[in-house]
Amino acid sequence: MNPLHVARGCAVSALIALGLSAAPPARAQNISCSASMTDVVFGTVNPLSSLDSANATLNYTCNNSANSTRSATVCFSIGDGAQGAGQTNPRQMQDGAGDILKFQLYQNASHSTVWGSTFFGVFATPLQVNLTIGRRGSTSGSATMYGQVVNGQLTAVPGSYQDDFSGGHTALTVNETSGSTPPGSCDSTIVSNFGFNVTATVSRQCTVSAGPLNFGTTGLLTANTPGTSTLGVQCSSGSAYNVGLDQGLHGTGITARKMALGTNLIGYQLYSNPGRTTVWGNTVGSNTVAGVGNGSLQNLTVYGSVPPQATPSAGTYGDTITVTVTY
């Protein structure tokens, strides 16, 4: 068969009560930055064959208000998202029913460096950008974020999924210093955010494979000759399907299948039950075999029989049946 195709507190002097204790002076911030991120749109994802990828672009602008050259290490942190439920290894999207689709966000095209955060999650790997800006100058730049759906999510339920990174799920920090050498580390004060959304649609999918049905070798066709074959059906979780078998190359109908050797024919039949009483055909709702996918391979047995009949010339007889999965 051909296969079908996530203070030490006491007020001891007036000075303490008035707040005049020696405290470090507030650090002047001369470099200010803003940023935006485009959405990560995976589009349609096949749950039976994931690793779908999609990219997004971070755009940022930084200004130096000082009358001297300033440098900074600007860090862009990304958390788990509104639907992430605290998960960053990997991250996860959800559909309206709370079903999960796992994914991850990376800093590089080889998907080896996770785009993480200074503030949340297990990956302390925010994107760091070192900048040196002249007096009252400005600079802009961009970076690519690489997204990938995690492989092997066979039980993912078809539908629309998202993870919303707006609000406090992202953070931009600026660690500034004078001169032309950036500090090379992230600051702990969040100055801005750069929200975006991650979306994907899990599609309904089915695949089928078929093994040969071999009736073996016989002499005279004076008794029923049985045989079996196995069909492997794999459909996305929750997807209802029907499997149909056609009449073959030489049959004149579902109930009149035939194997051939040249012009010689041998009649045979295919059934969906071990008792070989229910002919397996290809009319949905009538003589097909129905099932519901769970993401894993489900095996179906085809029961064949060659009934008693006049024996034609000796030789090897064959036929080809087309298997159709409707879902």
Side-chain angles (χ1 to χ4, degrees):
M1 299 180 190
N2 291 324
L4 183 70
H5 33 290
V6 70
R8 191 170 170 188
C10 58
V12 295
S13 73
L15 287 177
I16 294 177
L18 292 172
L20 297 178
S21 58
R27 183 182 63 188
Q29 193 79 20
N30 298 284
I31 293 179
S32 60
C33 297
S34 62
S36 63
M37 180 80 82
T38 60
D39 291 338
V40 181
V41 182
F42 287 107
T44 300
V45 172
N46 181 350
L48 304 183
S49 177
S50 298
L51 287 179
D52 296 79
S53 299
N55 299 341
T57 302
L58 173 75
N59 291 294
Y60 60 87
T61 298
C62 296
N63 300 292
N64 177 16
S65 61
N67 286 319
S68 60
T69 296
R70 305 289 292 183
S71 295
T73 296
V74 184
C75 295
F76 304 90
S77 293
I78 299 175
D80 62 324
Q83 288 77 35
Q87 298 300 312
T88 57
N89 185 27
R91 292 175 164 102
Q92 63 183 40
M93 291 177 267
Q94 294 187 27
D95 64 6
D99 299 307
I100 292 171
L101 183 67
K102 299 174 183 179
F103 72 101
Q104 193 53 277
L105 302 173
Y106 300 91
Q107 297 183 28
N108 56 344
S110 61
H111 304 119
S112 60
T113 303
V114 172
W115 193 320
S117 170
T118 302
F119 307 99
F120 25 60
V122 299
F123 295 105
T125 51
L127 176 70
Q128 297 186 31
V129 177
N130 292 317
L131 302 172
T132 297
I133 308 176
R135 62 183 299 272
R136 299 194 176 281
S138 177
T139 187
S140 296
S142 64
T144 300
M145 181 166 66
Y146 303 87
Q148 188 172 65
V149 175
V150 175
N151 195 23
Q153 299 184 77
L154 301 180
T155 59
V157 176
S160 298
Y161 291 75
Q162 76 159 5
D163 195 7
D164 183 2
F165 287 84
S166 61
H169 294 286
T170 64
L172 186 160
T173 65
V174 180
N175 190 5
E176 180 185 338
T177 188
S178 60
S180 58
T181 303
S185 61
C186 298
D187 196 77
S188 60
T189 301
I190 300 172
V191 298
S192 183
N193 306 100
F194 50 98
F196 61 96
N197 204 20
V198 179
T199 60
T201 300
V202 174
S203 63
R204 297 174 62 196
Q205 295 286 338
C206 285
T207 62
V208 63
S209 60
L213 194 160
N214 190 344
F215 288 107
T217 301
T218 188
L220 296 174
L221 301 176
T222 58
N224 286 320
T225 303
T228 60
S229 176
T230 300
L231 302 181
V233 181
Q234 186 175 17
C235 293
S236 49
S237 186
S239 296
Y241 63 82
N242 275 274
V243 181
L245 307 180
D246 75 350
Q247 67 187 33
L249 298 179
H250 312 291
T252 56
I254 295 301
T255 59
R257 293 180 168 112
K258 299 181 189 299
M259 290 179 283
L261 173 61
T263 58
N264 296 314
L265 301 172
I266 293 178
Y268 73 101
Q269 193 49 268
L270 303 176
Y271 303 91
S272 58
N273 64 324
R276 291 171 170 80
T277 57
T278 304
V279 173
W280 194 332
N282 60 357
T283 301
V284 175
S286 176
N287 53 18
T288 54
V289 173
V292 177
N294 60 10
S296 298
L297 185 67
Q298 297 173 311
N299 290 322
L300 304 175
T301 301
V302 180
Y303 301 91
S305 180
V306 177
Q309 58 195 282
T311 305
S313 300
T316 300
Y317 289 73
D319 193 15
T320 300
I321 296 291
T322 299
V323 185
T324 302
V325 180
T326 304
Y327 58 96

